Structure formats: C-alpha cells, structure tokens
Amino acid sequence: MIDIDLNLLRSFDILYDASALIFDQNGLRVATVGLDDNVLFKTVTIARDLGRDIELASGISLDDRIITAPPDGIADGDRVRTVGIERDRGAAKTSAKMR
C-alpha cells in the first residue's frame, strides 16, 4: 500500500463579499478603487459561490480594493472618497462614497 499526500495550490482561496458583484449587460464585474481614487470595473469569474461569500477565479489581483455593495449608477472613472479600509480574510475591502 502506498500513501500519498497531495498539497494542491489554488489561486482563488480568498473570499469576497458577494454583495460586491455586479451583473448587467456588461457581464459579471466588480467595482474597484484605483490608486487615483477613481472607480475601475473589472470583469471577474466565480470559482465557488458560498452564499454570502464568493471565491473569484480570475479578474482581480490581491492588491485590488473592491467596493462592497456599490451604489446604483456608479460608473468607470467616478471619483470616490474611501471611508474605511478593512483587511478581512486576506482581501482588501473598501467602502466608497461618490464625490
């Protein structure tokens, strides 16, 4: 009998709040805040849907600041003011208000 231990690496083990997802005519996206405090939408794919949380398979990097529960009408290039940055489960979450 042979015992084998496998350590499989996954690139999508960070959980994000599902309220960050935007699904519209442009597909599935999240709104992020750039270093210039402007909104930038990024197309994403879901690896796993866990209800309140999701794992993303592609579309963002660990450095991205994702807007949780973005308001209706937010658009690429909108200037926002960050009001709190919380590091939670390894992911940057940002609340933003439109200027």
Side-chain angles (χ1 to χ4, degrees):
M1 175 181 244
I2 299 174
D3 289 329
I4 300 174
D5 290 326
L6 298 175
N7 292 321
L8 303 177
L9 298 176
R10 297 187 338 204
S11 61
F12 49 83
D13 4 62
I14 296 176
L15 298 178
Y16 298 91
D17 193 314
S19 68
L21 292 175
I22 299 167
F23 184 70
D24 59 15
Q25 69 274 12
N26 297 310
L28 187 61
R29 305 179 301 157
V30 294
T32 65
V33 178
L35 295 175
D36 57 0
D37 289 335
N38 289 335
V39 174
L40 175 64
F41 282 95
K42 294 191 174 189
T43 302
V44 296
T45 56
I46 296 175
R48 287 194 319 161
D49 183 343
L50 303 170
R52 284 187 39 204
D53 296 318
I54 54 167
E55 288 180 359
L56 295 177
S58 67
I60 60 163
S61 69
L62 292 176
D63 296 332
D64 285 330
R65 297 186 293 167
I66 297 173
I67 300 173
T68 303
D72 289 340
I74 196 168
D76 264 332
D78 283 350
R79 185 114 173 123
V80 295
R81 177 178 55 90
T82 57
V83 294
I85 299 174
E86 171 188 322
R87 290 234 173 244
D88 175 295
R89 288 173 266 164
K93 290 185 175 182
T94 300
S95 297
K97 293 188 178 180
M98 295 174 65
R99 285 191 179 166

